[in-house]
Amino acid sequence: MVEMRDDVGDTRDAPPPQRSRYRRSIMRLRSASMEAFPLWRGRLLFLVGGIGVGLAAVLMAKGADLAQDGFRRLTAPSPLIALVLTPAGFALAALLARTVFPNSQGSGIPQVIAARHARDARFRFSLISPRVAVGKVLVLFLGLLCGASAGREGPTVQVGAAIMAAFGRLTPERLPGLLLAGGAAGVAAAFNTPLAGIVFGIEELGRAYEARSSGLIVAGIVAAGLTSLGLLGNYTYFGTTDAALPLAAAWIVPLVAVVGGLTGGLFSRVVILFARGLPGAAGRLIRRRPVVFAAVCGLCVALCGLASGGAAYGTGYEEARAILHGDAAAGWTYAPLKFGATVLSSISGIPGGLFAPSLAVGAGLGGTVHGLLPDMPVGAVVLIGMVAYLTGVLQAPITSFVIVTEMTQNHAMVIPLMVAALLADAASKAVCRGGLYHTLAEIMLERADVPAQPVAKTG
């Protein structure tokens, strides 16, 4: 019997050509989906984190308003109650910030900058942990309940970064971008100023444009902004104003800009001096008795508040809005008293931001100039004062004029505000060489003695 053979070979087990092509297509799709999954996961983290930052910003805004209202109710029987309430509250807030919630002191923005530059993961987490975020909110409210001259916007930046960092544990390689997005989204949601949030993220938090993360940062800001809008509605922080500056009055811009820049630079220099530590016996006493020092600062804040008729307490939002719209005249004592109360609150070691109080000091400065030159349009002079002083404190001129423009929806003043910001920035640097937030971040990294990338400072 002859055995039949196939000279070509046995092909009974080979798959048809169509099946092979199908399998190869499936494998390519599966490979592409696996490669795209991390990208989509990163985008989802930015969006979900942005929603969380928006919710936190709304809750902090409501809580800050309730805390300030509580202070007014507590001192309603007699303004002298603040002489006991404010020092006691400052002491308790400083104690909690140092012992229960370390790294929650101050604005919160230096902590985010330090976290972005630190290479030690444990130290980085200690600056932006959920515990720090919770403590930041609670102790901030305690300070406002006791009359501190502080804002909620800087703390919102740190809380926003902490929220993003919690999501960043799923994608550690994206953590720097998440921190940048969280901080920028915090500013955007706190003021309803999305453009200012983007500029602040680039100019202040990053000091550089990160093209790889730019789209995701914008997505986080959009998510935070839409969340805030959905809960609070579309609003303008200081209300709209159509104030304009006649060309014949343009000479007022450099005058107010230089004064605001010098004053803001002085503020930053004082805060940095206390952050580094005073020399001699005074510095040693403050380091040994920080809680007592906080109580002394609180007592001085109460004295500023009493001298100003209560105007120096709190964020200064209502006072700045009234001065801007001409509803109240700024007495010549308001700006220096608010300045002093904000300096004392900042060096005391309690949590609190600088944006709103700085805008209030700038409004008081502009209102004082208008009182000397009543023929000038009050709204225009006040806007210049706000931009000039905020620039002097932050040394971030683009952020300053963008944020004030968005807060008031005033586009007629864009050019004068830009000029004021540039002049104020130069004046501030003549007094204080390094930017406030970046210098404070550098001090944190030096004291922690951890590996870190160099902190870029203006100067």
Side-chain angles (χ1 to χ4, degrees):
M1 187 174 181
V2 180
E3 183 179 358
M4 300 295 295
R5 297 182 58 187
D6 189 352
D7 295 335
V8 179
D10 190 357
T11 60
R12 287 174 295 177
D13 296 330
Q18 295 84 355
R19 186 178 300 175
S20 298
R21 286 196 296 269
Y22 176 74
R23 287 180 178 175
R24 285 195 298 268
S25 299
I26 292 296
M27 291 178 66
R28 283 196 296 268
L29 288 173
R30 183 180 299 174
S31 175
S33 63
M34 292 299 292
E35 292 177 359
F37 178 71
L39 177 62
W40 284 105
R41 182 178 63 179
R43 291 175 177 174
L44 184 62
L45 290 177
F46 276 80
L47 290 173
V48 175
I51 294 172
V53 175
L55 290 172
V58 171
L59 291 175
M60 292 179 71
K62 295 294 186 182
D65 291 341
L66 290 174
Q68 292 182 96
D69 185 63
F71 175 75
R72 286 189 286 266
R73 291 176 181 271
L74 289 173
T75 56
S78 172
L80 297 178
I81 293 175
L83 293 174
V84 176
L85 175 63
T86 306
F90 270 52
L92 178 58
L95 179 64
L96 292 174
R98 292 181 62 87
T99 58
V100 182
F101 305 108
N103 294 317
S104 66
Q105 301 96 322
S107 162
I109 295 174
Q111 286 91 325
V112 177
I113 295 172
R116 278 179 46 80
H117 287 83
R119 295 174 180 171
D120 186 287
R122 181 175 299 179
F123 173 73
R124 183 190 303 120
F125 182 73
S126 70
L127 298 174
I128 49 173
S129 67
R131 181 187 183 92
V132 171
V134 171
K136 191 79 172 187
V137 175
L138 295 179
V139 186
L140 168 67
F141 291 167
L142 173 61
L144 291 174
L145 182 63
C146 299
S149 177
R152 56 179 169 81
E153 297 78 22
T156 305
V157 170
Q158 188 176 10
V159 171
I163 292 172
M164 286 292 198
F167 290 101
R169 291 196 157 197
L170 301 175
T171 55
E173 72 280 0
R174 290 191 177 273
L175 185 58
L178 283 165
L179 294 180
L180 188 62
V187 170
F191 287 120
N192 189 31
T193 52
L195 291 179
I198 296 171
V199 173
F200 178 77
I202 296 171
E203 185 179 34
E204 187 62 27
L205 291 179
R207 292 291 190 196
Y209 183 72
E210 299 189 1
R212 191 169 67 91
S213 301
S214 60
L216 300 179
I217 292 170
V218 172
I221 292 173
V222 169
L226 289 176
T227 303
S228 176
L229 288 175
L231 295 174
L232 299 178
N234 192 11
Y235 67 97
T236 305
Y237 189 82
F238 280 123
T240 57
T241 173
D242 56 356
L245 189 68
L247 186 60
W251 61 270
I252 199 69
V253 175
L255 172 65
V256 178
V258 171
V259 173
L262 291 174
T263 309
L266 176 63
F267 174 91
S268 296
R269 183 153 189 165
V270 171
V271 173
I272 291 171
L273 176 64
F274 276 86
R276 291 194 184 279
L278 293 180
R284 290 193 296 272
L285 182 61
I286 292 173
R287 288 190 291 272
R288 285 200 302 264
R289 297 286 187 269
V291 176
V292 174
F293 176 69
V296 172
C297 290
L299 177 60
C300 294
V301 169
L303 294 175
C304 290
L306 292 174
S308 65
Y313 296 123
T315 63
Y317 164 77
E318 294 179 358
E319 290 78 9
R321 183 185 177 105
I323 295 171
L324 173 63
H325 292 283
D327 297 331
W332 67 271
T333 60
Y334 173 70
L337 288 173
K338 186 63 177 176
F339 174 90
T342 308
V343 169
L344 291 162
S345 299
S346 299
I347 66 176
S348 67
I350 69 173
L354 300 177
F355 275 81
S358 295
L359 291 169
V361 174
L365 174 65
T368 301
V369 172
H370 177 263
L372 299 174
L373 303 167
D375 293 335
M376 292 286 179
V378 59
V381 179
V382 170
L383 286 175
I384 295 169
M386 293 167 74
V387 168
Y389 183 78
L390 183 62
T391 300
V393 172
L394 302 183
Q395 293 189 4
I398 302 176
T399 296
S400 299
F401 82 77
V402 169
I403 203 169
V404 171
T405 300
E406 278 196 285
M407 282 178 173
T408 58
Q409 291 297 307
N410 187 318
H411 301 288
M413 288 289 295
V414 168
I415 299 299
L417 295 184
M418 290 174 65
V419 174
L422 293 175
L423 294 175
D425 185 54
S428 175
K429 288 174 181 175
V431 178
C432 183
R433 292 292 298 171
L436 174 62
Y437 292 141
H438 283 255
T439 302
L440 295 178
E442 189 177 64
I443 293 172
M444 289 180 188
L445 292 170
E446 289 175 355
R447 288 180 176 171
D449 193 22
V450 296
Q453 298 175 352
V455 178
K457 298 185 294 181
T458 57

